[in-house]
Amino acid sequence: MSLKKSALFLVILVILCSCEQIKSLDVFSKKEEREEPIIASVGETNLYLSELNEVIPKGILESDSIVLAKSYINTWAKQQLLLQKAEENISEVNYNKIDELIKAYRESLYINGYKESLIKQQLDTVISDESIRNYYKNNKENFKLNEELLQIKYVYFGNDFLDKKEAIDKFKSEEEEDLEDLESLTINFKDYQLRDSSWITYDNVLQKIPPFRYEPKEKLLKKSKFIKKEDSLGVYLVAVNNVLLRNDIAPLSYIENNIKQLILHKRKIELVRDIEKTLINDAIKNNEFKEY
């Protein structure tokens, strides 16, 4: 990279990171001197005590404060020295290019800020269940899974749990009464999931039930009424109620929040288009926009 290109890159980087410089079209304007202690200086540019205090967290040890202060001062000095070298080596052509970039960036900030303000005021964020179902129905092929999902029932209790046999018998049963009895024992469980029909990923199952990490994947990715696993801390009872594999269509309940975001995003795009169209039409109507 040539010296001029390097200088151009450095100046752009420094300028876009500086709010005060973005506000001003004068790229190399200096801060006015203030009536307060100066901590460091590079050429005619000063670093003031108040600026340093802003980056030092309150309540930290004095030794840590000194280390942070020195680090910040060194970083500040490097940036100022690089900026000065860039100023010395930049051509008038590149200077004008930077002005154009700043102008375009500033305009983009104003426009995007205005759009976001209108979106907050006008965007309909209420999404009905029917809208979600229709979107899911019409776009199912876009919701293929890239990981396995499972619906499981499980309990985990410690080795010191006294009612192991009762818990196992109740867990195996499909009777509602037995499930209610099992729920009465949950105060003694380390973890459990009995009635929740939510889908969880295969990797999350391994996190919840560590002994499965040492089992063949295929063993878990199939329906099973009862699996018992133990480790040094306790016993896991697991029932795999349902399984979905990679490339299967994701269930609606699993991607409902994603669909809401997709619908909102689509509404935002349509709203912005309407806003832009209205602006153009109003400008033409009011003689503010003309084509020659």
Side-chain angles (χ1 to χ4, degrees):
M1 183 180 289
S2 69
L3 182 59
K4 287 185 178 180
K5 288 184 177 179
S6 298
L8 175 61
F9 172 78
L10 289 170
V11 174
I12 292 173
L13 182 62
V14 172
I15 290 169
L16 293 183
C17 290
S18 171
C19 293
E20 290 188 7
Q21 286 173 320
I22 287 174
K23 291 179 183 177
S24 171
L25 290 179
D26 182 4
V27 180
F28 306 119
S29 61
K30 306 296 183 182
K31 292 183 179 179
E32 295 181 0
E33 291 190 12
R34 306 195 294 261
E35 295 295 328
E36 61 172 298
I38 297 174
I39 300 301
S41 64
V42 173
E44 298 179 3
T45 304
N46 298 325
L47 175 65
Y48 293 93
L49 179 62
S50 61
E51 295 172 312
L52 184 63
N53 287 337
E54 288 177 1
V55 300
I56 304 298
K58 295 181 180 179
I60 65 172
L61 296 174
E62 183 178 353
S63 57
D64 293 336
S65 176
I66 293 173
V67 171
L68 285 173
K70 287 183 177 179
S71 175
Y72 181 80
I73 292 170
N74 286 336
T75 300
W76 175 87
K78 289 176 187 176
Q79 178 172 311
Q80 295 304 318
L81 289 167
L82 285 169
L83 178 57
Q84 288 186 13
K85 288 296 181 184
E87 292 175 23
E88 293 169 3
N89 289 279
I90 194 169
S91 69
E92 184 177 350
V93 173
N94 286 336
Y95 178 89
N96 292 334
K97 286 182 180 179
I98 293 172
D99 268 354
E100 292 172 4
L101 285 172
I102 294 173
K103 182 175 180 293
Y105 184 62
R106 183 180 60 181
E107 289 175 353
S108 176
L109 289 176
Y110 282 140
I111 291 170
N112 289 334
Y114 177 64
K115 285 181 179 179
E116 287 300 318
S117 176
L118 291 178
I119 286 171
K120 286 181 180 179
Q121 295 174 26
Q122 301 179 27
L123 182 65
D124 179 10
T125 58
V126 177
I127 302 175
S128 67
D129 292 339
E130 183 181 2
S131 296
I132 295 172
R133 287 194 297 269
N134 288 338
Y135 192 96
Y136 176 72
K137 179 181 177 181
N138 296 328
N139 298 276
K140 275 190 175 183
E141 289 301 312
N142 296 330
F143 300 122
K144 289 185 178 180
L145 294 169
N146 57 11
E147 58 188 340
E148 298 88 355
L149 297 182
L150 299 93
Q151 280 181 331
I152 65 172
K153 177 178 77 172
Y154 78 96
V155 299
Y156 173 42
F157 49 77
N159 290 321
D160 58 349
F161 180 54
L162 300 178
D163 299 318
K164 292 180 183 178
K165 185 178 184 308
E166 180 184 0
I168 292 173
D169 291 341
K170 301 294 183 184
F171 187 89
K172 287 181 177 180
S173 174
E174 297 181 1
E175 299 295 328
E176 177 64 24
E177 182 180 350
D178 289 328
L179 181 58
E180 291 175 358
D181 290 342
L182 185 62
E183 287 176 326
S184 68
L185 300 173
T186 55
I187 192 173
N188 300 301
F189 296 159
K190 292 178 177 291
D191 196 9
Y192 65 91
Q193 179 175 294
L194 298 177
R195 295 182 183 271
D196 189 356
S197 60
S198 61
W199 293 88
I200 60 175
T201 65
Y202 172 77
D203 288 340
N204 283 340
V205 172
L206 298 186
Q207 291 180 6
K208 288 180 174 289
I209 310 169
F212 276 132
R213 298 172 187 173
Y214 309 104
E215 296 289 334
K217 189 175 185 179
E218 295 75 18
K219 184 175 180 179
L220 185 59
L221 294 180
K222 60 182 182 181
K223 292 183 180 181
S224 177
K225 290 186 177 181
F226 181 73
I227 303 173
K228 179 183 176 185
K229 286 293 174 184
E230 299 183 37
D231 60 17
S232 60
L233 300 176
V235 178
Y236 298 85
L237 308 179
V238 183
V240 181
N241 299 327
N242 213 342
V243 175
L244 288 174
L245 304 176
R246 291 174 185 266
N247 292 320
D248 285 344
I249 302 298
L252 176 57
S253 60
Y254 185 71
I255 57 171
E256 184 174 349
N257 287 334
N258 289 344
I259 291 176
K260 286 181 180 179
Q261 293 306 312
L262 289 170
I263 293 174
L264 280 176
H265 181 67
K266 183 179 179 182
R267 288 182 182 177
K268 281 183 181 181
I269 293 174
E270 292 173 349
L271 178 57
V272 168
R273 286 175 182 167
D274 289 341
I275 289 171
E276 292 172 346
K277 184 177 179 181
T278 300
L279 283 173
I280 290 291
N281 291 337
D282 287 348
I284 293 173
K285 182 179 178 181
N286 297 326
N287 242 4
E288 296 171 349
F289 171 52
K290 301 176 183 178
E291 288 188 82
Y292 301 96

Short mmCIF file of all heavy atoms in Angstrom, two decimals, residues 109-148:
data_model
loop_
_atom_site.label_atom_id
_atom_site.label_comp_id
_atom_site.label_asym_id
_atom_site.label_seq_id
_atom_site.Cartn_x
_atom_site.Cartn_y
_atom_site.Cartn_z
N LEU A 109 -26.52 9.28 8.22
CA LEU A 109 -26.93 9.27 9.63
C LEU A 109 -28.24 10.03 9.82
O LEU A 109 -29.15 9.57 10.53
CB LEU A 109 -25.84 9.87 10.51
CG LEU A 109 -24.56 9.06 10.70
CD1 LEU A 109 -23.56 9.86 11.52
CD2 LEU A 109 -24.86 7.73 11.39
N TYR A 110 -28.35 11.19 9.20
CA TYR A 110 -29.58 12.00 9.32
C TYR A 110 -30.78 11.23 8.74
O TYR A 110 -31.84 11.15 9.36
CB TYR A 110 -29.42 13.32 8.57
CG TYR A 110 -28.60 14.36 9.30
CD1 TYR A 110 -27.71 15.18 8.61
CD2 TYR A 110 -28.73 14.55 10.67
CE1 TYR A 110 -26.95 16.14 9.27
CE2 TYR A 110 -27.99 15.50 11.33
CZ TYR A 110 -27.10 16.30 10.63
OH TYR A 110 -26.37 17.24 11.30
N ILE A 111 -30.58 10.70 7.53
CA ILE A 111 -31.69 10.01 6.85
C ILE A 111 -32.13 8.78 7.62
O ILE A 111 -33.33 8.56 7.83
CB ILE A 111 -31.27 9.63 5.41
CG1 ILE A 111 -31.12 10.90 4.56
CG2 ILE A 111 -32.30 8.69 4.78
CD1 ILE A 111 -30.48 10.65 3.21
N ASN A 112 -31.17 7.98 8.05
CA ASN A 112 -31.52 6.76 8.79
C ASN A 112 -32.17 7.09 10.13
O ASN A 112 -33.09 6.39 10.56
CB ASN A 112 -30.27 5.90 9.00
CG ASN A 112 -29.77 5.26 7.73
OD1 ASN A 112 -30.55 5.04 6.79
ND2 ASN A 112 -28.49 4.96 7.66
N GLY A 113 -31.68 8.15 10.76
CA GLY A 113 -32.30 8.56 12.02
C GLY A 113 -33.75 9.00 11.82
O GLY A 113 -34.62 8.67 12.62
N TYR A 114 -33.98 9.73 10.73
CA TYR A 114 -35.34 10.18 10.41
C TYR A 114 -36.25 9.00 10.11
O TYR A 114 -37.39 8.92 10.59
CB TYR A 114 -35.29 11.14 9.22
CG TYR A 114 -36.66 11.62 8.75
CD1 TYR A 114 -37.45 12.40 9.58
CD2 TYR A 114 -37.14 11.28 7.49
CE1 TYR A 114 -38.70 12.83 9.15
CE2 TYR A 114 -38.39 11.71 7.06
CZ TYR A 114 -39.16 12.49 7.90
OH TYR A 114 -40.40 12.91 7.49
N LYS A 115 -35.74 8.05 9.32
CA LYS A 115 -36.53 6.86 8.98
C LYS A 115 -36.88 6.07 10.24
O LYS A 115 -38.02 5.62 10.41
CB LYS A 115 -35.76 5.97 8.01
CG LYS A 115 -35.71 6.48 6.58
CD LYS A 115 -34.95 5.51 5.70
CE LYS A 115 -34.91 5.99 4.25
NZ LYS A 115 -34.13 5.04 3.40
N GLU A 116 -35.88 5.88 11.11
CA GLU A 116 -36.13 5.12 12.34
C GLU A 116 -37.17 5.80 13.21
O GLU A 116 -37.99 5.14 13.85
CB GLU A 116 -34.82 4.94 13.12
CG GLU A 116 -33.85 3.95 12.50
CD GLU A 116 -34.45 2.55 12.41
OE1 GLU A 116 -35.11 2.12 13.38
OE2 GLU A 116 -34.27 1.89 11.37
N SER A 117 -37.14 7.13 13.24
CA SER A 117 -38.13 7.88 14.03
C SER A 117 -39.53 7.65 13.48
O SER A 117 -40.48 7.41 14.24
CB SER A 117 -37.79 9.36 14.00
OG SER A 117 -38.78 10.11 14.68
N LEU A 118 -39.68 7.69 12.15
CA LEU A 118 -40.99 7.47 11.53
C LEU A 118 -41.45 6.02 11.73
O LEU A 118 -42.63 5.76 11.95
CB LEU A 118 -40.92 7.79 10.04
CG LEU A 118 -40.75 9.27 9.68
CD1 LEU A 118 -40.65 9.44 8.17
CD2 LEU A 118 -41.91 10.10 10.22
N ILE A 119 -40.51 5.09 11.64
CA ILE A 119 -40.84 3.68 11.82
C ILE A 119 -41.39 3.44 13.23
O ILE A 119 -42.39 2.74 13.43
CB ILE A 119 -39.61 2.79 11.56
CG1 ILE A 119 -39.33 2.74 10.05
CG2 ILE A 119 -39.83 1.37 12.09
CD1 ILE A 119 -38.01 2.07 9.70
N LYS A 120 -40.75 4.05 14.23
CA LYS A 120 -41.21 3.90 15.61
C LYS A 120 -42.63 4.44 15.79
O LYS A 120 -43.42 3.90 16.55
CB LYS A 120 -40.25 4.61 16.57
CG LYS A 120 -38.93 3.88 16.77
CD LYS A 120 -38.04 4.64 17.75
CE LYS A 120 -36.72 3.92 17.95
NZ LYS A 120 -35.83 4.66 18.88
N GLN A 121 -42.93 5.53 15.08
CA GLN A 121 -44.24 6.16 15.21
C GLN A 121 -45.33 5.41 14.45
O GLN A 121 -46.47 5.32 14.90
CB GLN A 121 -44.17 7.59 14.69
CG GLN A 121 -43.28 8.51 15.49
CD GLN A 121 -43.14 9.87 14.83
OE1 GLN A 121 -44.01 10.31 14.09
NE2 GLN A 121 -42.03 10.55 15.09
N GLN A 122 -44.98 4.83 13.29
CA GLN A 122 -46.01 4.34 12.38
C GLN A 122 -46.06 2.81 12.22
O GLN A 122 -47.06 2.29 11.74
CB GLN A 122 -45.81 4.97 10.99
CG GLN A 122 -45.88 6.49 11.01
CD GLN A 122 -45.66 7.08 9.63
OE1 GLN A 122 -45.95 6.44 8.61
NE2 GLN A 122 -45.15 8.31 9.57
N LEU A 123 -45.00 2.12 12.61
CA LEU A 123 -44.96 0.67 12.35
C LEU A 123 -45.95 -0.07 13.23
O LEU A 123 -45.99 0.11 14.45
CB LEU A 123 -43.54 0.13 12.60
CG LEU A 123 -43.36 -1.37 12.34
CD1 LEU A 123 -43.56 -1.67 10.85
CD2 LEU A 123 -41.99 -1.83 12.79
N ASP A 124 -46.75 -0.91 12.61
CA ASP A 124 -47.69 -1.77 13.33
C ASP A 124 -46.93 -3.00 13.82
O ASP A 124 -46.51 -3.86 13.04
CB ASP A 124 -48.83 -2.20 12.39
CG ASP A 124 -49.83 -3.11 13.08
OD1 ASP A 124 -49.74 -3.26 14.32
OD2 ASP A 124 -50.69 -3.69 12.38
N THR A 125 -46.72 -3.08 15.13
CA THR A 125 -45.93 -4.17 15.70
C THR A 125 -46.81 -5.32 16.23
O THR A 125 -46.29 -6.29 16.77
CB THR A 125 -45.05 -3.65 16.84
OG1 THR A 125 -45.87 -3.04 17.85
CG2 THR A 125 -44.04 -2.64 16.33
N VAL A 126 -48.11 -5.18 16.08
CA VAL A 126 -49.02 -6.24 16.54
C VAL A 126 -49.11 -7.31 15.44
O VAL A 126 -49.51 -7.03 14.32
CB VAL A 126 -50.42 -5.68 16.85
CG1 VAL A 126 -51.35 -6.82 17.25
CG2 VAL A 126 -50.33 -4.63 17.95
N ILE A 127 -48.74 -8.52 15.79
CA ILE A 127 -48.75 -9.62 14.82
C ILE A 127 -49.68 -10.72 15.35
O ILE A 127 -49.43 -11.31 16.40
CB ILE A 127 -47.34 -10.19 14.62
CG1 ILE A 127 -46.39 -9.08 14.14
CG2 ILE A 127 -47.35 -11.33 13.61
CD1 ILE A 127 -44.96 -9.51 14.04
N SER A 128 -50.72 -10.98 14.63
CA SER A 128 -51.72 -11.97 15.06
C SER A 128 -51.21 -13.39 14.86
O SER A 128 -50.32 -13.64 14.04
CB SER A 128 -53.02 -11.78 14.28
OG SER A 128 -52.83 -12.09 12.91
N ASP A 129 -51.79 -14.31 15.60
CA ASP A 129 -51.44 -15.72 15.43
C ASP A 129 -51.75 -16.20 14.02
O ASP A 129 -51.03 -17.02 13.45
CB ASP A 129 -52.20 -16.58 16.45
CG ASP A 129 -51.73 -16.33 17.88
OD1 ASP A 129 -50.61 -15.82 18.05
OD2 ASP A 129 -52.49 -16.63 18.82
N GLU A 130 -52.83 -15.67 13.47
CA GLU A 130 -53.22 -16.05 12.11
C GLU A 130 -52.16 -15.62 11.10
O GLU A 130 -51.83 -16.37 10.17
CB GLU A 130 -54.56 -15.42 11.75
CG GLU A 130 -55.07 -15.83 10.37
CD GLU A 130 -56.41 -15.18 10.03
OE1 GLU A 130 -56.90 -14.39 10.84
OE2 GLU A 130 -56.94 -15.48 8.94
N SER A 131 -51.60 -14.42 11.29
CA SER A 131 -50.55 -13.93 10.40
C SER A 131 -49.32 -14.83 10.47
O SER A 131 -48.69 -15.14 9.45
CB SER A 131 -50.16 -12.50 10.76
OG SER A 131 -51.24 -11.62 10.57
N ILE A 132 -48.99 -15.26 11.67
CA ILE A 132 -47.83 -16.14 11.86
C ILE A 132 -48.07 -17.48 11.19
O ILE A 132 -47.20 -18.01 10.48
CB ILE A 132 -47.55 -16.32 13.37
CG1 ILE A 132 -47.12 -15.00 13.98
CG2 ILE A 132 -46.47 -17.39 13.58
CD1 ILE A 132 -46.99 -15.03 15.49
N ARG A 133 -49.27 -18.03 11.38
CA ARG A 133 -49.59 -19.34 10.77
C ARG A 133 -49.58 -19.24 9.24
O ARG A 133 -49.06 -20.15 8.56
CB ARG A 133 -50.96 -19.82 11.26
CG ARG A 133 -50.98 -20.30 12.70
CD ARG A 133 -52.25 -21.07 13.02
NE ARG A 133 -53.43 -20.21 12.89
CZ ARG A 133 -53.95 -19.51 13.88
NH1 ARG A 133 -53.39 -19.53 15.09
NH2 ARG A 133 -55.03 -18.77 13.70
N ASN A 134 -50.13 -18.17 8.70
CA ASN A 134 -50.16 -18.02 7.24
C ASN A 134 -48.75 -17.88 6.68
O ASN A 134 -48.43 -18.45 5.63
CB ASN A 134 -51.00 -16.80 6.86
CG ASN A 134 -52.48 -17.03 7.06
OD1 ASN A 134 -52.95 -18.18 7.10
ND2 ASN A 134 -53.25 -15.96 7.22
N TYR A 135 -47.92 -17.11 7.36
CA TYR A 135 -46.54 -16.93 6.89
C TYR A 135 -45.81 -18.27 6.91
O TYR A 135 -45.08 -18.61 5.98
CB TYR A 135 -45.81 -15.92 7.77
CG TYR A 135 -44.49 -15.47 7.21
CD1 TYR A 135 -44.40 -14.30 6.48
CD2 TYR A 135 -43.33 -16.21 7.39
CE1 TYR A 135 -43.19 -13.87 5.94
CE2 TYR A 135 -42.12 -15.81 6.86
CZ TYR A 135 -42.06 -14.63 6.14
OH TYR A 135 -40.85 -14.23 5.60
N TYR A 136 -46.02 -19.01 7.98
CA TYR A 136 -45.38 -20.34 8.12
C TYR A 136 -45.86 -21.28 7.01
O TYR A 136 -45.06 -21.96 6.36
CB TYR A 136 -45.72 -20.91 9.49
CG TYR A 136 -45.21 -22.32 9.74
CD1 TYR A 136 -43.86 -22.56 9.94
CD2 TYR A 136 -46.08 -23.40 9.78
CE1 TYR A 136 -43.37 -23.83 10.19
CE2 TYR A 136 -45.62 -24.68 10.02
CZ TYR A 136 -44.27 -24.89 10.22
OH TYR A 136 -43.81 -26.17 10.45
N LYS A 137 -47.15 -21.28 6.77
CA LYS A 137 -47.74 -22.16 5.76
C LYS A 137 -47.20 -21.85 4.37
O LYS A 137 -46.91 -22.76 3.58
CB LYS A 137 -49.26 -22.02 5.78
CG LYS A 137 -50.00 -22.87 4.76
CD LYS A 137 -51.50 -22.63 4.85
CE LYS A 137 -52.25 -23.44 3.79
NZ LYS A 137 -53.72 -23.19 3.85
N ASN A 138 -47.05 -20.56 4.06
CA ASN A 138 -46.63 -20.15 2.72
C ASN A 138 -45.11 -20.20 2.51
O ASN A 138 -44.65 -20.04 1.37
CB ASN A 138 -47.12 -18.73 2.44
CG ASN A 138 -48.63 -18.64 2.40
OD1 ASN A 138 -49.31 -19.60 2.02
ND2 ASN A 138 -49.18 -17.50 2.82
N ASN A 139 -44.36 -20.41 3.59
CA ASN A 139 -42.90 -20.39 3.47
C ASN A 139 -42.23 -21.58 4.14
O ASN A 139 -41.06 -21.50 4.55
CB ASN A 139 -42.34 -19.09 4.07
CG ASN A 139 -42.83 -17.85 3.36
OD1 ASN A 139 -42.27 -17.44 2.36
ND2 ASN A 139 -43.89 -17.24 3.90
N LYS A 140 -42.93 -22.68 4.23
CA LYS A 140 -42.41 -23.84 4.97
C LYS A 140 -41.04 -24.30 4.48
O LYS A 140 -40.17 -24.68 5.27
CB LYS A 140 -43.40 -25.00 4.88
CG LYS A 140 -44.49 -24.96 5.93
CD LYS A 140 -45.29 -26.25 5.94
CE LYS A 140 -46.29 -26.24 7.08
NZ LYS A 140 -47.04 -27.52 7.15
N GLU A 141 -40.84 -24.26 3.17
CA GLU A 141 -39.58 -24.76 2.61
C GLU A 141 -38.38 -23.92 3.05
O GLU A 141 -37.24 -24.36 2.92
CB GLU A 141 -39.66 -24.79 1.08
CG GLU A 141 -40.57 -25.87 0.55
CD GLU A 141 -40.15 -27.27 0.99
OE1 GLU A 141 -38.95 -27.59 0.87
OE2 GLU A 141 -41.01 -28.03 1.46
N ASN A 142 -38.65 -22.73 3.55
CA ASN A 142 -37.56 -21.88 4.03
C ASN A 142 -37.18 -22.18 5.48
O ASN A 142 -36.25 -21.56 6.01
CB ASN A 142 -37.95 -20.41 3.92
CG ASN A 142 -38.17 -19.98 2.49
OD1 ASN A 142 -37.54 -20.51 1.57
ND2 ASN A 142 -39.05 -19.00 2.28
N PHE A 143 -37.90 -23.10 6.09
CA PHE A 143 -37.68 -23.37 7.51
C PHE A 143 -37.19 -24.79 7.76
O PHE A 143 -37.56 -25.43 8.74
CB PHE A 143 -38.96 -23.11 8.30
CG PHE A 143 -39.46 -21.70 8.20
CD1 PHE A 143 -40.73 -21.43 7.73
CD2 PHE A 143 -38.65 -20.64 8.56
CE1 PHE A 143 -41.19 -20.12 7.62
CE2 PHE A 143 -39.10 -19.34 8.46
CZ PHE A 143 -40.37 -19.07 7.99
N LYS A 144 -36.33 -25.26 6.88
CA LYS A 144 -35.75 -26.59 7.09
C LYS A 144 -34.69 -26.51 8.19
O LYS A 144 -33.91 -25.56 8.27
CB LYS A 144 -35.14 -27.10 5.79
CG LYS A 144 -36.18 -27.48 4.74
CD LYS A 144 -35.53 -28.10 3.52
CE LYS A 144 -36.59 -28.53 2.50
NZ LYS A 144 -35.99 -29.15 1.30
N LEU A 145 -34.66 -27.55 9.00
CA LEU A 145 -33.75 -27.57 10.14
C LEU A 145 -32.31 -27.84 9.71
O LEU A 145 -32.06 -28.63 8.81
CB LEU A 145 -34.18 -28.65 11.14
CG LEU A 145 -35.52 -28.45 11.84
CD1 LEU A 145 -35.92 -29.71 12.58
CD2 LEU A 145 -35.42 -27.28 12.83
N ASN A 146 -31.37 -27.18 10.39
CA ASN A 146 -29.96 -27.50 10.19
C ASN A 146 -29.37 -28.19 11.41
O ASN A 146 -28.16 -28.32 11.55
CB ASN A 146 -29.16 -26.24 9.86
CG ASN A 146 -29.30 -25.17 10.94
OD1 ASN A 146 -29.82 -25.44 12.02
ND2 ASN A 146 -28.84 -23.98 10.64
N GLU A 147 -30.26 -28.63 12.31
CA GLU A 147 -29.86 -29.40 13.50
C GLU A 147 -31.04 -30.24 13.97
O GLU A 147 -32.19 -29.96 13.63
CB GLU A 147 -29.41 -28.45 14.61
CG GLU A 147 -30.47 -27.45 15.03
CD GLU A 147 -29.94 -26.42 16.01
OE1 GLU A 147 -28.90 -26.67 16.64
OE2 GLU A 147 -30.57 -25.36 16.15
N GLU A 148 -30.75 -31.28 14.73
CA GLU A 148 -31.80 -32.17 15.21
C GLU A 148 -32.54 -31.55 16.40
O GLU A 148 -31.93 -30.88 17.24
CB GLU A 148 -31.22 -33.52 15.63
CG GLU A 148 -30.54 -34.28 14.51
CD GLU A 148 -29.06 -33.92 14.35
OE1 GLU A 148 -28.61 -32.99 15.07
OE2 GLU A 148 -28.39 -34.55 13.51
#
